[in-house]
Amino acid sequence: MPAGVLAERSLARSDKGAERDRELAALFYEHYDPMRRLAYVMIGDGDAAEEIVMDAFAKALSRWKSFRNVDWPPAYLRQMVVNACRSRMRRRAIENRVNSFVHHRDEQREKTFDVEDHGLGLDVWAAVRSLPDRQRACVVLRYLEGLTEPEIAETLDCPLGTVKSQLSRARARLAERLGPDFMKGGET
């Protein structure tokens, strides 16, 4: 093959790579912080949240051709982050159960929360993090990310009815934990 043809192909690949890098950089600058906040609220660990989001961007880069053709890449990226958080939470739950069994201590024991003792010092996010995984994901996507119930169903890849029931159960649990007055006006 002539050297000119090889140089032309190399230049074309270089231009595509530069375009990909620009598009990914724009996506990163616009969506990194919201994705990191989402991951942090879901798992409660800043370092792990950053790791999850960076992994999602790395996967987007490695699958750039198919990722780029998605209807709305930020939604796909959000779904990647939510799924990674859910995997991390499941893994953490399994590790805690094993540690509890092996070391004969119950690391899963929840502290009793008495609203009257805590008054205005309520830790809302601690209450949200105490929810089961799917309920927590629904609450975070609804109230932090501002997604509608159909958007949550699409993000979590589950039926709309499941999202509605999970949000209802989560609101009931939060009302138990934080008090019914706190939850007034919380339903949308």
Side-chain angles (χ1 to χ4, degrees), residues 97-184:
R97 281 192 296 252
V98 169
N99 286 336
S100 177
F101 178 75
V102 171
H103 300 293
H104 301 291
R105 59 187 161 165
D106 188 7
E107 294 175 356
Q108 297 292 329
R109 194 174 309 153
E110 287 190 28
K111 182 177 123 183
T112 305
F113 191 91
D114 187 356
V115 175
E116 292 177 10
D117 289 344
H118 294 283
L120 296 175
L122 298 175
D123 187 356
V124 175
W125 291 118
V128 170
R129 283 194 298 270
S130 74
L131 294 172
D133 295 349
R134 188 165 281 210
Q135 288 178 18
R136 182 179 335 139
C138 288
V139 166
V140 169
L141 291 171
R142 178 70 185 105
Y143 297 105
L144 181 70
E145 290 291 305
L147 298 183
T148 64
E149 290 171 344
E151 290 170 330
I152 296 168
E154 184 178 333
T155 298
L156 297 178
D157 193 28
C158 67
L160 179 60
T162 300
V163 170
K164 289 180 179 189
S165 68
Q166 293 298 308
L167 282 171
S168 177
R169 289 181 186 136
R171 288 183 195 114
R173 280 182 158 213
L174 290 172
E176 285 175 12
R177 186 155 178 155
L178 300 173
D181 290 339
F182 183 81
M183 293 304 295
K184 282 188 180 166

Side-chain angles (χ1 to χ4, degrees), residues 52-80:
I52 285 170
V53 173
M54 292 306 292
D55 285 347
F57 276 102
K59 286 179 185 174
L61 177 62
S62 70
R63 302 177 193 150
W64 188 251
K65 284 183 182 180
S66 60
F67 183 83
R68 183 172 185 229
N69 293 327
V70 171
D71 287 339
W72 198 55
Y76 186 69
L77 188 64
R78 182 186 309 117
Q79 187 172 21
M80 291 169 65

Side-chain angles (χ1 to χ4, degrees), residues 72-92:
W72 198 55
Y76 186 69
L77 188 64
R78 182 186 309 117
Q79 187 172 21
M80 291 169 65
V81 169
V82 167
N83 288 340
C85 287
R86 291 174 67 199
S87 292
R88 178 81 51 118
M89 290 184 296
R90 280 191 298 270
R91 187 170 49 248
R92 187 184 307 158

